[in-house]
Amino acid sequence: MHLGNDSSRPAADARIPWRCFHLVGVVGAIGAAFSLSLATWFHRDGQRADEARFYQLGNEIGVDLERRVEAVEELLRDLERLLNREETPSLDTWNEFMNQTSPQWNHPGVLAIGYATNATSPAIMQALGDWLGPTPRRQRDEFYTLPEGFAGDKSWRVWLLDVYGDGHRPAESYDDEFTETDRLTGAVRRQRFSQPTVDWERKANPFSLFDVDGRPRLAADESGSQPLLNAVYRDDVKVAGRQPLVRRSDRRAVPGVTMLVPTYHPRRGEFRAALVPDPDWAMEDRWLRWQLNTGVLFAYLDLAEMLNQACGPGDRAVRVEIHGGTNLTSKAEWLNPDGEPMRAGDPAFKPAFAHLHEWPMYGDSWRLYFHTTPVFDAQSLRYRAWWAAGWGLLTTALVCWVLALQIWGRLKESRQAAELREARDALRGVQRERERLSHDLHDGAIQSLYAVQLGLTRAAGEVLSHLPETGRRLAGSRASLDAVIGELRQFLARLRAVEPTRDSCGLAAVLDSTVRRLQPASTARIDLCCDRALSDRLDPVQAVHLASFAREALSNSLRHARAGRITVRLTGGESGLVLEVRDDGCGIVAGTLPGGGLGMETMRRRAALLHGHFECESNPGEGTTVRLIAPLCNGDGLSVRAEGAPDEPVGWRMNLAASSGAGNRE
């Protein structure tokens, strides 16, 4: 028979069935795989988009830079056509052209424009005119009857140099200097230098005669390291990596290049018609250009400024290095130093994207090195992959968490349902056990007591007339037996009740009935002090345990203590109760307890079932006190221990003294 809740809970204490969470793992794996796949796709798509953007920006910069260089070439070509019409250039013609074109505003990056005249040109033109004479056309063999004066060296001297801005000046010394200031702003617009003390350039005659199959032929120096020479006798634009200007502040050369455009004598057409060069021998045409050259137009270009104009304002997403040769580690060939390290030849430099472009530059081959900057990386679409992966994994984690909570809730509901089914089955078992006990008591013990009662009634009737005192005692015993039968009937009624009420099973009523029943059969005075409110808070099973404890303690005192007064007291508070039975009898002999009698063992057992403490205090000649201290649970009754609990009570304390005259307790 179960007198309390079953402590074994297999459904609640069972291990967590992790196989129920396999769905969470599958969802997490699918979500993580999808997130990583999406991130990989975004990364590759971002790589393609960034690569396209890098080449687009590089092409835009390169095209704009080339357009600016070509605009300067067109400017010099226009000035060349103007100067080719005059045998001796005039300053007025020069100023009129410069005022109309305004290079300092329309061509940013042009530091200076100048003109170097060929000092030997007047003498050559005079000698060439005398040699030709009135003959309109020479014979082919006469082309090589050259005057000896044609074989000399040539020198060029700067006639005029216009430097824009007041931050630079030419490295050479000039006899004359003129400054032009803007009337509105007061800034220096142009500085003019003329008549230097030294030649701007001097070149030896590159041509020589030799025989080919018995015929004279011309040969020339084809060295590519002489830009001026190639420009003159090829009649072509040439760029040289010179540093012609210096800063006024630190006298340091300005990185830049020189663009050269040759000019020729106005009578060039006349001389060319008289001396027709052989089209199969290119040196004859080059020799004629060399002899007819009157000067060289030149412009000093700041490629760094031109590149700044091409890139536009703001932070740069793409950086460009311009190298005037094939050696990418030589700072002497780096034409646009910008204060940052040179990256083109650095193997440790690993940008997101980089490209080396070969830029044909008027007969030379320059290198443009493009690479990305942190600004480009900050604008990159590749980082969408990290956002996609992060949000995907976060969403997957949230979905798995919600799914796990849902599964956990269902598992908890299943465990609770299992516990309810077990509690229902246990309750049905208790009800069946109560019914069986009720039938056994009704059909067995009560019927036997009825038979004893009938026997006592007949015996009392027969003895009353002969022995009145004995008859009255038998009648009292019969009345006591009637009270016992009444208590059994009341107990059976409570067992059969589905939901017993508090009033029908109050401990105070049971104790009061027990005291009234035992008082007539004892010479000791029995006092009862019971807390009615505390009694009403107990359920029937708890009241049965406490009542049985009190009956056992009273029985021991009445049979063994020879007490004159016995006190039964039920007290307590919010945390627990105390049931105490005290007598003033002879006490307990030391060494006979614990374990000597069945009564003490029964009281210890009931204290254990109530999760309480059993205490027994006795001194010889001073009486005995037995006490049960039990806790209350949640203000709604005691926590009753299961039947399978250990036999020992939670608490056990004995205080006995040796005495040969003390009695023994069961």
Side-chain angles (χ1 to χ4, degrees):
M1 174 180 177
H2 292 278
L3 298 179
N5 296 329
D6 192 353
S7 61
S8 59
R9 297 179 179 178
D13 297 338
R15 300 179 64 182
I16 298 176
W18 294 109
R19 62 181 179 275
C20 298
F21 293 90
H22 287 172
L23 179 61
V24 179
V26 172
V27 172
I30 294 175
F34 178 76
S35 301
L36 295 178
S37 301
L38 185 64
T40 302
W41 184 85
F42 272 126
H43 181 74
R44 293 178 179 176
D45 184 70
Q47 283 279 106
R48 291 191 294 268
D50 286 347
E51 184 177 8
R53 182 165 64 99
F54 168 72
Y55 282 105
Q56 179 182 1
L57 292 175
N59 288 332
E60 291 176 356
I61 294 173
V63 169
D64 191 272
L65 180 61
E66 189 170 4
R67 180 184 62 81
R68 293 177 183 277
V69 175
E70 291 175 351
V72 177
E73 177 196 358
E74 185 64 25
L75 172 67
L76 295 183
R77 287 295 189 182
D78 291 341
L79 188 55
E80 174 202 9
R81 286 189 287 269
L82 179 64
L83 296 178
N84 284 344
R85 293 198 298 264
E86 299 184 5
E87 185 173 349
T88 303
S90 65
L91 187 60
D92 293 336
T93 303
W94 180 276
N95 288 336
E96 182 180 359
F97 179 83
M98 290 298 171
N99 290 333
Q100 290 177 358
T101 56
S102 301
Q104 70 273 26
W105 306 113
N106 298 327
H107 302 276
V110 176
L111 299 177
I113 297 179
Y115 183 59
T117 59
N118 189 344
T120 59
S121 178
I124 291 177
M125 295 307 298
Q126 180 65 36
L128 190 58
D130 295 342
W131 180 60
L132 291 176
T135 305
R137 186 180 181 87
R138 291 273 183 173
Q139 297 298 321
R140 282 294 308 143
D141 294 340
E142 294 179 330
F143 189 88
Y144 291 96
T145 59
L146 306 177
E148 292 190 8
F150 292 171
D153 296 343
K154 295 184 183 297
S155 62
W156 290 263
R157 179 166 296 182
V158 175
W159 169 64
L160 197 65
L161 177 63
D162 287 344
V163 179
Y164 301 102
D166 58 350
H168 306 90
R169 64 173 290 111
E172 299 86 354
S173 299
Y174 285 81
D175 295 337
D176 190 14
E177 182 177 347
F178 168 75
T179 301
E180 181 181 342
T181 306
D182 193 332
R183 295 179 180 179
L184 297 177
T185 62
V188 176
R189 297 177 54 189
R190 179 174 56 179
Q191 300 175 83
R192 173 164 292 170
F193 302 89
S194 61
Q195 301 301 323
T197 58
V198 297
D199 290 336
W200 182 71
E201 191 73 72
R202 178 179 290 275
K203 291 292 182 181
N205 181 23
F207 297 95
S208 59
L209 282 173
F210 67 99
D211 290 334
V212 176
D213 297 332
R215 296 183 58 184
R217 286 296 186 183
L218 286 170
D221 184 5
E222 292 290 336
S223 174
S225 61
Q226 304 182 49
L228 178 61
L229 179 64
N230 292 336
V232 169
Y233 71 68
R234 293 176 186 271
D235 190 14
D236 197 5
V237 179
K238 196 65 178 177
V239 174
R242 299 188 179 183
Q243 311 294 334
L245 301 183
V246 297
R247 292 190 180 94
R248 290 181 181 272
S249 58
D250 54 7
R251 303 296 297 174
R252 189 160 58 92
V254 176
V257 297
T258 303
M259 180 178 287
L260 305 172
V261 176
T263 61
Y264 298 92
H265 199 274
R267 295 181 61 188
R268 176 177 60 172
E270 178 185 345
F271 293 134
R272 188 179 186 85
L275 294 171
V276 180
D278 187 355
D280 296 330
W281 198 259
M283 291 300 115
E284 293 183 4
D285 185 66
R286 295 179 184 180
W287 175 87
L288 189 58
R289 293 178 185 277
W290 173 263
Q291 302 299 338
L292 297 179
N293 175 255
T294 58
V296 177
L297 277 169
F298 58 90
Y300 297 152
L301 307 183
D302 186 357
L303 291 182
E305 178 60 27
M306 298 178 74
L307 184 60
N308 288 336
Q309 295 292 329
C311 293
D315 296 332
R316 298 181 184 180
V318 175
R319 179 173 174 263
V320 185
E321 293 180 3
I322 305 175
H323 295 268
T326 58
N327 188 1
L328 300 180
T329 61
S330 174
K331 292 187 177 180
E333 295 182 358
W334 186 17
L335 302 180
N336 67 321
D338 52 3
E340 296 186 13
M342 187 169 59
R343 299 295 192 182
D346 185 4
F349 180 62
K350 303 294 183 182
F353 298 97
H355 177 70
L356 184 63
H357 175 69
E358 185 173 346
W359 187 18
M361 181 53 65
Y362 302 105
D364 286 345
S365 181
W366 289 4
R367 305 292 189 275
L368 297 181
Y369 179 70
F370 299 83
H371 69 83
T372 56
T373 66
V375 176
F376 184 92
D377 295 334
Q379 300 170 353
S380 174
L381 299 178
R382 290 170 293 155
Y383 298 110
R384 294 184 305 174
W386 301 110
W387 285 101
W391 282 109
L393 293 176
L394 179 60
T395 303
T396 301
L398 290 177
V399 171
C400 292
W401 179 62
V402 172
L403 187 60
L405 287 180
Q406 187 177 9
I407 294 175
W408 181 264
R410 291 184 178 180
L411 289 176
K412 188 175 181 180
E413 290 179 358
S414 300
R415 288 196 297 268
Q416 290 177 349
E419 291 176 358
L420 290 176
R421 288 193 297 269
E422 292 176 0
R424 181 193 61 192
D425 295 340
L427 181 59
R428 288 177 178 175
V430 170
Q431 290 176 348
R432 288 193 296 269
E433 186 68 19
R434 284 183 175 183
E435 291 176 358
R436 185 188 64 80
L437 181 60
S438 175
H439 288 299
D440 292 344
L441 290 176
H442 183 272
D443 297 338
I446 292 181
Q447 300 305 323
S448 298
L449 290 176
Y450 273 133
V452 173
Q453 181 190 32
L454 292 176
L456 288 176
T457 301
R458 287 194 297 270
E462 294 173 357
V463 174
L464 183 61
S465 57
H466 303 286
L467 298 172
E469 184 64 26
T470 303
R472 285 193 295 271
R473 291 181 179 179
L474 289 175
S477 298
R478 184 181 60 80
S480 298
L481 187 59
D482 287 339
V484 171
I485 293 174
E487 289 182 4
L488 283 176
R489 287 183 175 277
Q490 187 179 8
F491 178 70
L492 291 178
R494 290 197 298 269
L495 286 178
R496 292 174 180 175
V498 178
E499 293 182 359
T501 61
R502 296 289 184 179
D503 294 338
S504 64
C505 59
L507 179 60
V510 175
L511 294 178
D512 185 64
S513 175
T514 300
V515 170
R516 288 198 307 270
R517 179 169 55 84
L518 294 177
Q519 183 65 67
S522 174
T523 58
R525 177 183 173 183
I526 303 176
D527 296 329
L528 175 64
C529 180
C530 183
D531 187 343
R532 298 281 180 174
L534 180 62
S535 174
D536 293 339
R537 296 177 59 183
L538 305 176
D539 61 30
V541 177
Q542 296 163 350
V544 167
H545 283 292
L546 295 173
S548 299
F549 181 90
R551 289 193 191 100
E552 186 66 33
L554 283 172
S555 175
N556 282 341
S557 296
L558 291 174
R559 286 183 295 157
H560 305 292
R562 298 190 295 276
R565 183 174 181 177
I566 303 174
T567 303
V568 180
R569 186 184 303 274
L570 176 66
T571 59
E574 293 295 330
S575 59
L577 61 85
V578 177
L579 178 60
E580 182 181 273
V581 178
R582 181 190 300 272
D583 64 58
D584 57 358
C586 61
I588 301 175
V589 178
T592 62
L593 291 175
L598 182 60
M600 287 292 183
E601 181 64 25
T602 301
M603 287 188 284
R604 289 198 300 270
R605 172 72 175 177
R606 295 192 183 279
L609 292 175
L610 294 175
H611 288 255
H613 296 266
F614 170 66
E615 297 178 358
C616 178
E617 299 177 357
S618 179
N619 291 313
E622 297 181 1
T624 302
T625 301
V626 293
R627 186 180 298 111
L628 189 152
I629 303 174
L632 290 174
C633 295
N634 300 325
D636 192 27
L638 292 170
S639 176
V640 181
R641 194 164 186 177
E643 184 177 353
D647 293 338
E648 292 80 6
V650 178
W652 168 260
R653 185 176 66 186
M654 293 289 294
N655 182 16
L656 304 177
S659 174
S660 60
N664 189 15
R665 299 284 178 98
E666 288 186 9

